[in-house]
Amino acid sequence: MENRVITINRMYGSNGRLIAKELSQRLGIHYYDKELIQLASEKQNIPYDELVKVDEKRASRWRYPVDEAVQMEPQYRYNPMNDVLFETQSQIIRELAAKESCIIVGRCANYLLSDRALRVYIYAPADYRVKVIMERLGREEKSAKSLVKKMDRQRRYYYEYFTDQKWDDFSQYDLCINSSRFTQEQIVDMIAAL
């Protein structure tokens, strides 16, 4: 039997990660999100904390995004750490999809696995996502609105930098769900049914 692989891209504050986690429990398969950073850290022997700084971010043209000592090691000197992390995570994502059923959150997985995964995009209107972030992080509205814009911008730049595709182009996904219109349980039901 072929592995069931689901990729979930999400707008910040749309609850995509929480949906992935609940779906993982429902289907009894593992989901990978921040665990991909740890796997890449072990594979490349780069400190986890340094990779977290560049996770789902494109490289800056103006400065190294991590501790200069790490970036200047001979094996990484000519490649921004963002690129090193992306290439390593891409390899890990392909290996995971080949060996097990799983859910992969973000990290251009829908692009990397376009031929063998159910590709889901979770989105919601900005005002809904701001309210989610206000509740989740206890932020004031202005701060939450700023964070939502910043995170969406980072995710968009990251995705478009590494894929040359538009992040929010619905034609790249098999299923696009507005999380403000359904409960988390209903969304999990829909994806699980597929």
Side-chain angles (χ1 to χ4, degrees):
M1 183 174 139
E2 192 172 317
N3 294 329
R4 292 184 301 171
V5 179
I6 302 167
T7 66
I8 297 182
N9 279 16
R10 71 277 181 238
M11 287 182 151
Y12 188 70
S14 66
N15 291 321
R17 183 181 53 79
L18 299 176
I19 290 165
K21 192 172 191 173
E22 188 175 324
L23 182 63
S24 159
Q25 292 168 348
R26 170 93 55 93
L27 297 177
I29 61 177
H30 196 268
Y31 92 104
Y32 294 92
D33 186 8
K34 298 286 185 195
E35 298 85 353
L36 292 167
I37 305 169
Q38 185 61 45
L39 293 170
S41 171
E42 293 165 7
K43 190 173 194 113
Q44 291 290 346
N45 197 26
I46 299 171
Y48 174 84
D49 293 338
E50 295 299 326
L51 293 180
V52 167
K53 294 176 188 176
V54 298
D55 184 45
E56 292 196 285
K57 295 180 181 88
R58 72 176 183 178
S60 170
R61 294 183 290 230
W62 308 110
R63 64 178 178 81
Y64 288 122
V66 297
D67 180 19
E68 194 170 310
V70 173
Q71 183 67 64
M72 295 311 289
E73 289 181 19
Q75 67 268 38
Y76 308 119
R77 188 172 301 146
Y78 302 107
N79 293 317
M81 196 58 62
N82 310 64
D83 292 2
V84 172
L85 178 59
F86 177 78
E87 290 303 322
T88 305
Q89 284 182 334
S90 297
Q91 182 181 12
I92 291 167
I93 287 167
R94 287 184 182 105
E95 290 169 0
L96 289 169
K99 75 176 186 177
E100 67 179 272
S101 293
C102 59
I103 299 166
I104 301 172
V105 178
R107 292 157 189 87
C108 306
N110 71 304
Y111 175 80
L112 298 168
L113 303 174
S114 63
D115 60 337
R116 58 179 157 175
L118 173 65
R119 301 165 302 159
V120 178
Y121 184 73
I122 307 292
Y123 68 99
D127 58 338
Y128 173 84
R129 295 183 295 124
V130 167
K131 287 178 186 171
V132 167
I133 296 305
M134 288 171 61
E135 291 171 12
R136 186 184 304 160
L137 301 180
R139 291 188 174 225
E140 297 290 326
E141 183 176 2
K142 185 177 179 180
S143 173
K145 190 179 287 189
S146 176
L147 183 59
V148 165
K149 284 181 181 179
K150 174 186 170 191
M151 294 302 293
D152 278 350
R153 186 173 49 250
Q154 284 180 353
R155 287 179 181 173
R156 175 178 285 105
Y157 289 163
Y158 168 83
Y159 187 86
E160 293 176 3
Y161 175 79
F162 284 111
T163 68
D164 287 329
Q165 305 288 321
K166 293 290 182 191
W167 177 56
D168 54 2
D169 174 5
F170 286 7
S171 69
Q172 297 181 84
Y173 304 99
D174 302 308
L175 179 65
C176 300
I177 302 173
N178 180 343
S179 62
S180 72
R181 303 277 307 208
F182 306 97
T183 66
Q184 190 167 305
E185 185 176 348
Q186 289 171 326
I187 294 170
V188 170
D189 288 342
M190 283 186 255
I191 300 170
L194 293 173

